[in-house]
Amino acid sequence: MQPVRGPEQTLTFRPRILLADESMRPTRAEIDLDAVAHNLRILRALSAPARVLAVVKADAYGHGVVPVALRLEQEGVSGFGVALAEEGLELREAGVRAPILVLNGVYGDAHVDVLEAGLTPVVYDLAQVEAFERAAGERRVQVHLKIDTGMGRLGVPLRRLPSFLDAMARHPRCHVVGLMTHLSSADSDDDATSEQLERFAEARAQVLRAGHPVATVHVANTAATLRRPDARFDMVRPGGALFGVQPTPEDGLELRPALRLRTEVIALRDLEPGEFVGYDRTFVARRPTRIATVPLGYGDGLLRGLSGCGEMLVRGLRAPIAGRVSMDLTTLDVTDVPGCACGDEVVVVGSQRFEERHATIRAEEVAARAGTIGYDVLTSISRRVPRVHLGG
Ligand SMILES: Cc1ncc(COP(=O)(O)O)c(C=O)c1O
C-alpha cells in the first residue's frame, strides 16, 4: 500500500485491483477457457480449409481478453481481430505473437505504434493510407482493405473503388494483402447477404486486376460462418460463437457458453401483502412474499431493462426480479424457492446445479427479456465484476 499525501491528511491508497478481487464480494464472472477452446475447435472443423481469426474486441466480449487470447493462441488460432489499435497493443504487451488485425482502422496518431507492434491495419480511406505511408519509413506496410458492400458504416464504397485503387498506386509502401467486407444481416436476411457477396465479388475482381497481391479474403462473422459456406473464403472472423453465443438456436452446433455470472443472496426479508420493493415501488407483494437481495446491479452491467421482467437461478429454480434493478443491488422474489437462505448462490447468466435440479439461463435469453442481443449482455458486465478464468 502506498501512502498518498493529500492537502491536509495522509490517506491510505489501496491499489484498485481490490475492486475486482474475487475474495471481496460474491459477484463474479467465471470464464471457462476450455469452453472457448472447444468452440474454436468446432468453428475450425466447420470452416476448414478456411482459417479462423478470433474476434476478441471489447475485452473479448466481456470475457477478459488476455487470458482468452493466450489460450486461443495456445490452441493455434490463426490470428486475432480487434476493433481498436489500443486493443491490439494490449495483446502484444501481454505477449501475444499471432497476427492481429485492427478491424476498425487506425485513427489518431497511433500509426507508428501500430507498425512497431506488428499489428495489421484495416484501411478504408486514403487519409489512412497516407498516414501509414508516412509512418512506414523503410518498412513495407501490409494492410487489409475493407469494402462497404452494404453495411453503410466503414469501407470503400464500390463506386469509389476504382479511384481508390488508382490512388493506392501512388503509395508504394502500402500493400493490400487482405480484402474484407462486413455483413449486415447474416443472421436474418439471406437475400441481403447474397447481394453483399455479389458486390464483394465485383470488388475482389477489381482489386486483383489492379495487381494487389491479396492473399487473404475474409467476410464471415459468426452468423455467416455457421450459415453461409459461400462466405467463408480464406478466413472466417467469428466473435460471438467463440464464447458460445449463437445468432439463432437452430444452428444446432454444440457451442458451449463460456461465461457464468454468479453472485449470492446477502439479505432476505418477508413482506406482507401490499408492501413494496425498490425504487418507484414498482413491485407490490400480492401474497406473503420472500424477497432476496443480491449484490449486483446496473453498475455491474446488469441491464436495467430487466427490472420486473428478468429471472435468476437460485437452488436450481428460476426466481423473478422483483422491482427495479438498482445500481448495486437487485431484489428477487424467492417465495417459490423453498429453503432459500443467505449465502445461496444466484446465477444471472449460465448454469446451476442444485441437488437433482439443473437449470440454465443463456445470455441470449437475458437479452430477449431486455429487448437487446446476447453480445450486449456480455459486454455490459462492468470492470467492477472480477473475471475468474477457469480451465486448462
Ligand atoms: C468487422 C467484424 N468482423 C467480425 C465480427 C464478429 O462478429 P460476431 O461476433 O457476430 O461473430 C465483428 C463484430 O461485430 C466485426 O465488427
Side-chain angles (χ1 to χ4, degrees), residues 55 57 61 103-104 146 153 180 182 221-223 237-241 375:
V55 176
K57 57 189 180 153
Y61 292 48
L103 293 167
N104 289 2
K146 181 164 184 168
R153 294 188 314 196
M180 64 179 286
H182 193 40
N221 57 1
T222 287
R237 303 190 309 260
Y375 298 174

Side-chain angles (χ1 to χ4, degrees), residues 324-344:
R324 292 259 194 267
V325 171
S326 49
M327 190 182 292
D328 317 301
L329 300 168
T330 299
T331 34
L332 304 175
D333 182 346
V334 291
T335 315
D336 298 323
V337 181
C340 180
C342 279
D344 276 2

